[in-house]
Amino acid sequence: MTLTRRDFLTRSLAGSTILATGATLPGFLAHTARASAGFGPGRERILVVVEMNGGNDGLNTVIPFRADDYYRARPTIALPRPDVLTLDDHLALHPAMRAFARLHERGWLAVCENVGYPNPDRSHFRSMDIWQSASPCPEESRTGWLGRAVDRSERVDTPLALHLDGTALPAALRTTTRAVPSIEAIDAFRLDGDADAIERAASADRADASADLQFVQRTAVSSCRQARRLAALGVDPDAAARYPAHGLANRLAQIARLIGAEFGPRVYYTSMGGFDTHARQLATHASLLTELAESIGAFFADLEARRLHERVVVMTFSEFGRRVDENGSQGTDHGAAAPMFVAGPGVRGGIVGGVPDLADLGRGDLKHHVDFRSVYASVLDDWLGIPSRAILGASFPGLPILRS
Amino acid sequence: MNGAGDPLRPFAASSATPWDHAAATHLLRRAGFRPTMQEIERAVGAGVDATVDRLVDGEPEARRASELDALGDGIARRGELDRLRAWWLQRMRYTTRPLHARLALFWHGHFATSDRKVKSPTLMLAQLRTIEAHARGPFGAMLRAMSRDPAMIVWLDGDENVRGRPNENYARELFELFTLGVGHYSERDVHETARAFTGWHQRRGTFAFRPRSHDGGDKTIFGETGPFDGDDAVRLALAQPAASRFLAAKLLREFVTPTPNEVLVTALAQVLWESDFDVGATLRRLLKSTAMFDPAHRRTRIPSPVEFVVGVARSLEIRTRGPVLARAIARMGQRLFEPPSVEGWPGHRHWLDSTTMLVRLNAAVAATAPGSADRLARRYALRNSAAARRFATTIALDGAPSTALAERLHALDGTPSAVLASALRIALTAPEYQLA
């Protein structure tokens, strides 16, 4: 068996040399070595969250193509039956989502249908806050659901979560005890100075170093090592070629590189906007779903080439679905329940949550049959191995969407 | 409390804790940003009292900062939040009133309002101006102004707070985050206080009291009963013993030590109480105190990204575009006008992990490019490598590099500006530099 470069790098970092001398190392440095030993390749599973900002039209994403009600409610924007990409006897994907259809064929796509929460709020901000805080009363919850996972993590020197996007830190990553790094691109992690010299100076023993100084020393040593891992990995032109020219694809490509460099986070968060399709939505929505599906499809192709795919699951969500009836502008207004996607070789492919019932609406919107926190609970418990009860404040029944 | 045990007795220089470059740098850094060599020299010459008075009272504002100030409204009106952030940072960079700038930043974190919900740079700017107007004044007046601040009203759902259906959001944060802290009020106090604030709305970005939405009935808050309104609620909150301790602890964490002890909190709470919560007077006393210069308190605080970046730019006299500063700061985990939650930024160690540290190291590397060292070497007429080394250690390492760094600094050789560039890089990328 030959060692890949990644294996080599990880072994030289987490391998025997430094751990074996633990007794003579300054305490803080031994601690760093132990911490890095905890997240070698193949050991930790990773979740990538993709926020679909604006309220995605779930009915035109996962289409109940057998339902005449669907075609009656949407005379100008319904997707024609012959065009849709069939998932099962009742549901089909938007024609633009061929990349998702391929994931589905491989059993890598779990579709959670009719996801929402009681008393749906139709304001973007409030509903997003409800999804992101995962608390029924967001005013009471100052932290995000992923932020609480970060707060509870025992990680000291590498972050549990990373936000890679051009936008403000999402509420889902709000923490009380740790700052979650938020970057717009991976080059934020290139170390411009001499990593060896900085690391040597940081790790040199100081007489009477305070606990705070030791903490900074430890963190600086981790930084230098992280930067070196990323630099050693380099840019792989083959990997770049796997991605289409979409903004989301570009961000996922960078996340794949960070995962490949064993950068540390177990949760990555990125988003794409534009889903608030109030008018003439057919073309807009098709291009949004093309970007979503092609980007995530390319992401898994890249991960598969790096043999990392089995460790990664992608979850999508939006703050709400849209009204069943189209409006007068060939668009749709704010609605309620909608599908979520959970994708990757780690999922149990298929559809959970049933077919949207267009005959049983609440104020013109789909009622939810699956609480979004059940999806979160599944991902936390069955994928990340983080007890969901402590994060969500209550026990939500998990869904059979992941191979634990 | 008086006598030898009082941690707030005036600082008196001694051989153990002299008034020297290191002490002056410590004061300027804590009550402002990392200083220039010129500012350090000036403070050493002027002494503690005059320096603190100058910091608290403020000098005439620098022309550049005043000119910048005037641009804010136009930027906000155009809805350019990123530019508004850059604009605020540049004012911090160029101000001759660094303590005032730090106080604005402190209160922005205290009253943590985010444009994510307010969605109006104009209102965010108006709130900043309100903060700046009250930053050193009586805390009660600031609370009364913030209770009427339109951005705050939007942020904590004041417009939803009407007679018969009180919304408790503002009332709860007023006690929990702004004045008392958890455990010093009851759910009933919150509910009744929400009633006192009913009808305190904003209309098109201006405070608007709606008599018809206001509940004029009797409320019982902290055991007192009357037809109270919002101003009464503020007064009643500040009359609670917990209020002065709460604010004292927060001021101490910001300016003296991340872990203030009981004696210190009690002593500063007393000063606040006796001055009727006069923040300026309290700070003047604190910054001149023995506790302020206690060697155990020095280099114990991890500065926020804003303090770090603005401090590097100021002390090395670097001119950079505001958006560049803002981007670096965002990568370090901080976005002005968008604190992560109503609790503000968590601070201290929570700023640093391996990724945010990497960004700080890159900022240090960028700041110590040969160009900036060249300018400094000329400006301060550094004639030989010893002078360059001394300059770097004074400005960046409080004149006391650890053995590991001292050896590397000593080995440097070359022209004064080359030595200065290398010495500054060694100092700014050292872990010690992250502690202020």
Side-chain angles (χ1 to χ4, degrees), chain B residues 136-210:
Chain B
R136 291 172 298 144
F139 187 43
M142 172 173 253
L143 287 167
R144 289 192 293 276
M146 291 308 276
S147 300
R148 291 170 172 80
D149 175 67
M152 178 63 79
I153 288 171
V154 174
W155 175 236
L156 294 179
D157 302 318
D159 288 333
E160 327 272 304
N161 190 17
V162 294
R163 187 178 56 189
R165 278 185 296 115
N167 182 305
E168 299 179 354
N169 211 359
Y170 182 72
R172 185 176 303 281
E173 304 313 4
L174 174 66
F175 295 156
E176 180 178 338
L177 298 173
F178 304 158
T179 58
L180 300 173
V182 172
H184 298 287
Y185 53 87
S186 69
E187 284 304 308
R188 178 164 187 204
D189 294 326
V190 170
H191 185 78
E192 299 280 283
T193 299
R195 289 179 56 217
F197 279 105
T198 46
W200 287 43
H201 295 177
Q202 60 84 34
R203 185 178 150 79
R204 292 193 199 133
T206 308
F207 175 70
F209 176 66
R210 311 272 183 158

Side-chain angles (χ1 to χ4, degrees), chain A residues 125-126 129 139-140 142 157-159 166-171 174 176-179 181-184 187-193 197-198 201-202 204 206 211-213 215-217 219-220 222-223 226-227 263, chain B residues 116-117 119 155 157 169 172-173 176-177 258 299-300 302 327 330-331 333 335 338 340-343 346 348-359 361-362 365 402 404-405 408 429-432 434-435:
Chain A
F125 183 87
R126 292 178 66 91
D129 224 36
E139 282 80 9
E140 294 298 308
R142 288 147 191 168
D157 37 20
T158 61
T167 58
L169 191 76
R174 283 189 304 222
T176 51
T177 62
R178 307 287 305 271
S182 173
I183 59 162
E184 67 269 42
D187 62 7
F189 296 139
R190 197 186 59 218
L191 182 57
D192 300 325
I198 294 172
R206 269 90 167 152
D212 284 321
L213 182 58
F215 165 77
V216 181
Q217 286 182 265
T219 311
S222 295
S223 295
Q226 242 177 6
F263 214 59
Chain B
R116 270 176 51 87
K117 179 166 174 184
K119 292 193 190 304
W155 175 236
D157 302 318
N169 211 359
R172 185 176 303 281
E173 304 313 4
E176 180 178 338
L177 298 173
R299 289 173 175 265
T300 53
I302 295 171
R327 207 158 36 241
R331 288 172 167 186
R335 284 168 188 261
E338 285 179 344
S341 77
V342 282
E343 287 169 291
H348 194 48
R349 282 199 193 189
H350 306 132
W351 287 123
L352 283 193
D353 61 38
S354 52
T355 55
T356 54
M357 181 73 194
L358 202 51
V359 185
L361 290 172
N362 281 337
V365 170
S402 65
L405 297 178
R408 289 182 65 204
T429 56
E432 285 83 352
Q434 298 301 330
L435 295 171

